[in-house]
Amino acid sequence: EKYAKFVKERIEIEQNYAKQLRNLVKKYCPKRSPKDEEPRFTSCIAFFNILNELNDYAGQREVVAEEMGHRVYGELMRYSHDLKTERKMHLQEGRKAQQYLDMCWKQMDNSKKKFERECREAEKAQQSYERLDNDTNATKADVEKAKQQLNLRTHMADENKNEYAAQLQNFNGEQHKHYYIVIPQIYKQLQEMDERRTIKLSECYKGFADSERKVIPIISKCLEGMILAAKSVDEHRDSQLVIDCFKSGFEPPGDFPFEDYSQNIYRTISDGTISTPKQEGMRIDSKTTVGKAKGKLWLFGKKPKGPALEDFSHLPPEQRRKKLQQRIDELNRELQKETDQKDALIKMKDVYEKNPQMGDPGSLQPKLTETMSNMDRLRMEIHKNEVRLSNNSLENVNEALSMVWPFFLTLQSLHYSPEGSYTDDANQEVRGPPQQHAHPNEFDDEFEDDDPLPAIGHCKAIYPFDGHNEGTLAMKEGEILYIIEEDKGDGWTRARRHNGEEGYVPTSYIDVTLEKNSKGAVTYI
């Protein structure tokens, strides 16, 4: 019972330890909602795996406690109850044997006392007979009566003597049997019972250790899993995740063009050229655009103040695209819930119409109308955000064009006159230069060429891509493609297959190699 109490306390310790470990895991386990789409760093994944392994470790401690409770504590309590019952039975047998011996002794003692009493009576009868026989005055009848009494007492004394002898012999036999057979047998049974108790304790000691030894391999696997989780931490991948998550999508600002103010002094006006005033507004706008792009997102600058806008226009292009896509996904999920609710209401309304006793179909109409209104509102919101997402892509193109436009302005300062004479007058450039704020399609139309774009490098697909959306290009893992346009900050690169098929592929899915000397390649300084 003392060892069973010890095992019980050990079980409570194991259960409390496992409970505290589970509470610790629950406390530090990340609470991620389905809407959270932020990338998971390898260090965070490793910590999450360690928490899972620790939770499994706590489960093994619970297994130890359960095994000890079933195999050791429960068995000890049952065996202890059986031992008490058996010990009580043996002690009862000993008491019965002692009581039987005491009874035999009492019978022998009673026969002894009776024999002693009859002997005294016989002696008295002998003395009375001798006294009357010697008395001359006694009658013959008195003497004869005394003689008969003497004979009677002598006979009774002889019978009691024989009975006493028999009882004495019986008691001696029972006493010998009691001390040499019955009591040793009872003690032997008690000894065997105690030896079995000792053996059972030994088995429980072994089971106590085996309960924990069985889970040691699983615990070792948990610890090995923690070590593997620690080795899986990849600092380069985590850094790349941070870059992919928080990249702004802006291009670095280009070089400012050299403005030659000596043109008015040395320029020679050709007779065949038509002078046009410089469009200062366009140049100022280009500078303004470059400066604006430069100050949008900078690590060492102050964070922009102001409330967050509904269209996320306060965010950089890449972040804006992610937020808009998240918003669209949330609205789609809400729309799906409303659609399911509408279907359920329609089914319930049909049931009520078929079985009027179950409910009034008209009571569901307000809720159905509200659900339809919510669905229309969500569809409008989804359409609005999809338009914003497409406009965000156009803004990225405009941003890229605004970054490249100063280079075209620089190229326009050097041109040939219509007569073939060379001049460095920027006023004598081609009439009607494209306005900076013109639509991107107008800019593309002016420089449009029937020939396909030249390849500026090649890439290798790291991951497969389905390319279901319009304008995208499907690719297989390990496939080699030509690069015809670099990533402009929106996460997409334009590529071409060997058969001439073109489209956009995710930049993060490919390994890009640009050729510096290829035709059409742009070198960034």
Side-chain angles (χ1 to χ4, degrees):
E1 288 178 347
K2 186 175 182 180
Y3 181 66
K5 184 179 179 181
F6 162 76
V7 174
K8 182 179 179 181
E9 292 181 0
R10 169 65 188 278
I11 291 172
E12 292 176 353
I13 291 174
E14 290 288 348
Q15 291 175 344
N16 292 332
Y17 179 50
K19 183 178 180 180
Q20 291 176 0
L21 284 179
R22 290 193 181 277
N23 291 336
L24 181 66
V25 171
K26 185 177 180 181
K27 178 180 178 181
Y28 285 93
C29 188
K31 300 177 179 63
R32 293 187 176 273
S33 61
K35 299 180 181 179
D36 190 3
E37 297 179 359
E38 292 295 327
R40 297 183 62 183
F41 302 104
T42 56
S43 56
C44 298
I45 296 174
F47 181 61
F48 184 71
N49 291 336
I50 288 175
L51 290 178
N52 289 334
E53 296 294 345
L54 187 61
N55 191 53
D56 295 341
Y57 178 82
Q60 297 308 311
R61 304 317 307 180
E62 291 176 347
V63 171
V64 171
E66 183 179 356
E67 185 71 14
M68 286 183 179
H70 175 70
R71 182 177 177 182
V72 181
Y73 179 74
E75 188 68 21
L76 278 177
M77 295 304 295
R78 288 191 295 271
Y79 193 74
S80 176
H81 180 268
D82 295 340
L83 280 181
K84 286 181 180 180
T85 304
E86 185 179 356
R87 180 174 178 270
K88 185 177 180 180
M89 181 187 67
H90 293 322
L91 293 178
Q92 287 178 351
E93 290 178 356
R95 282 193 292 270
K96 288 180 180 180
Q98 188 66 40
Q99 290 174 359
Y100 179 71
L101 183 64
D102 292 342
M103 184 189 67
C104 292
W105 180 82
K106 286 181 180 180
Q107 290 177 355
M108 185 269 296
D109 187 62
N110 289 334
S111 63
K112 178 182 177 182
K113 289 179 180 180
K114 189 175 182 181
F115 172 62
E116 183 181 2
R117 185 173 61 253
E118 291 298 331
C119 286
R120 285 196 299 268
E121 294 293 333
E123 289 177 358
K124 289 180 181 181
Q126 180 70 26
Q127 292 174 0
S128 178
Y129 172 72
E130 290 178 354
R131 181 172 51 80
L132 290 174
D133 189 32
N134 295 327
D135 188 2
T136 56
N137 296 325
T139 62
K140 186 177 180 180
D142 292 334
V143 173
E144 190 65 25
K145 184 178 180 180
K147 185 177 180 180
Q148 292 178 356
Q149 186 69 23
L150 174 62
N151 293 331
L152 179 63
R153 292 295 180 185
T154 303
H155 178 71
M156 291 181 66
D158 291 337
E159 288 181 354
N160 287 321
K161 179 180 179 181
N162 294 331
E163 183 180 358
Y164 169 65
Q167 291 292 337
L168 180 63
Q169 185 179 1
N170 181 53
F171 172 75
N172 289 333
E174 292 296 334
Q175 179 176 268
H176 183 275
K177 179 181 179 182
H178 177 80
Y179 286 104
Y180 287 94
I181 298 176
V182 178
I183 294 300
Q185 183 68 25
I186 293 175
Y187 279 131
K188 184 178 180 180
Q189 292 175 353
L190 289 171
Q191 180 181 353
E192 291 176 352
M193 181 193 72
D194 191 73
E195 289 176 355
R196 292 198 309 272
R197 178 190 65 85
T198 306
I199 293 173
K200 192 65 177 180
L201 275 177
S202 175
E203 293 176 354
C204 291
Y205 293 158
K206 184 175 178 295
F208 182 83
D210 288 339
S211 299
E212 189 164 358
R213 187 171 63 179
K214 286 181 179 179
V215 302
I216 287 179
I218 304 178
I219 292 177
S220 299
K221 290 183 179 179
C222 294
L223 298 177
E224 290 176 2
M226 295 181 184
I227 295 174
L228 292 177
K231 291 181 179 180
S232 66
V233 177
D234 188 353
E235 67 280 5
H236 300 296
R237 181 181 175 185
D238 289 355
S239 300
Q240 188 61 40
L241 285 175
V242 175
I243 294 171
D244 293 339
C245 182
F246 296 103
K247 64 183 179 181
S248 65
F250 294 123
E251 293 286 346
D255 295 339
F256 283 92
F258 176 75
E259 299 182 9
D260 191 0
Y261 294 99
S262 62
Q263 295 178 9
N264 296 327
I265 302 175
Y266 299 105
R267 68 179 181 179
T268 302
I269 300 177
S270 178
D271 295 335
T273 59
I274 301 175
S275 298
T276 56
K278 290 186 178 181
Q279 299 180 0
E280 296 293 340
M282 180 178 60
R283 182 173 297 179
I284 294 174
D285 290 342
S286 64
K287 292 181 181 179
T288 305
T289 304
V290 174
K292 182 180 179 182
K294 181 178 180 181
K296 280 189 178 179
L297 182 64
W298 182 244
L299 179 63
F300 306 102
K302 294 183 179 179
K303 296 179 69 174
K305 297 181 180 179
L309 302 178
E310 183 182 1
D311 58 351
F312 306 106
S313 58
H314 62 288
L315 296 176
E318 183 66 20
Q319 301 302 316
R320 191 186 317 159
R321 181 187 66 80
K322 290 184 178 180
K323 292 294 184 181
L324 288 172
Q325 189 62 47
Q326 289 178 3
R327 180 60 179 163
I328 292 173
D329 294 341
E330 292 175 3
L331 292 173
N332 283 325
R333 285 193 290 268
E334 294 179 7
L335 179 60
Q336 184 61 38
K337 290 180 181 179
E338 295 293 336
T339 304
D340 296 340
Q341 185 175 358
K342 183 198 72 173
D343 296 339
L345 289 172
I346 292 175
K347 291 181 181 179
M348 190 178 298
K349 185 178 179 180
D350 294 339
V351 172
Y352 286 175
E353 290 176 352
K354 294 178 181 179
N355 302 303
Q357 67 275 10
M358 297 183 65
D360 182 15
S363 62
L364 300 176
Q365 188 60 36
K367 186 64 177 176
L368 187 59
T369 304
E370 181 183 356
T371 303
M372 297 292 290
S373 177
N374 291 336
M375 291 175 62
D376 294 338
R377 178 182 56 81
L378 290 173
R379 289 193 184 98
M380 291 178 63
E381 288 290 332
I382 292 172
H383 177 69
K384 187 188 300 183
N385 284 277
E386 287 177 349
V387 171
R388 290 171 181 169
L389 184 61
S390 61
N391 290 338
N392 181 57
S393 302
L394 293 176
E395 289 177 6
N396 291 339
V397 175
N398 289 333
E399 190 69 32
L401 294 177
S402 65
M403 301 299 297
V404 180
W405 183 248
F407 294 100
F408 290 101
L409 294 179
T410 305
L411 293 176
Q412 288 179 354
S413 63
L414 299 175
H415 64 280
Y416 290 93
S417 63
E419 289 81 5
S421 60
Y422 176 81
T423 176
D424 58 355
D425 187 3
N427 292 329
Q428 299 177 3
E429 58 192 7
V430 180
R431 295 184 180 89
Q435 298 296 325
Q436 184 176 351
H437 298 287
H439 194 274
N441 293 335
E442 298 177 3
F443 183 85
D444 294 340
D445 293 340
E446 183 174 351
F447 296 95
E448 186 178 359
D449 193 0
D450 295 336
D451 296 333
L453 294 175
I456 59 174
H458 63 277
C459 66
K460 181 179 180 180
I462 305 176
Y463 309 104
F465 178 64
D466 296 335
H468 293 311
N469 297 330
E470 184 179 359
T472 58
L473 180 65
M475 61 182 180
K476 299 179 180 179
E477 183 179 355
E479 185 177 359
I480 305 298
L481 304 173
Y482 292 113
I483 300 296
I484 57 178
E485 281 188 15
E486 290 186 83
D487 187 356
K488 300 301 182 181
D490 57 353
W492 294 89
T493 301
R494 191 172 179 183
R496 180 195 300 139
R497 278 203 181 93
H498 296 284
N499 58 5
E501 186 179 358
E502 296 181 1
Y504 287 92
V505 295
T507 306
S508 58
Y509 281 40
I510 58 175
D511 184 12
V512 179
T513 303
L514 295 179
E515 301 175 2
K516 296 182 179 180
N517 298 328
S518 63
K519 182 180 178 181
V522 180
T523 304
Y524 293 98
I525 302 176

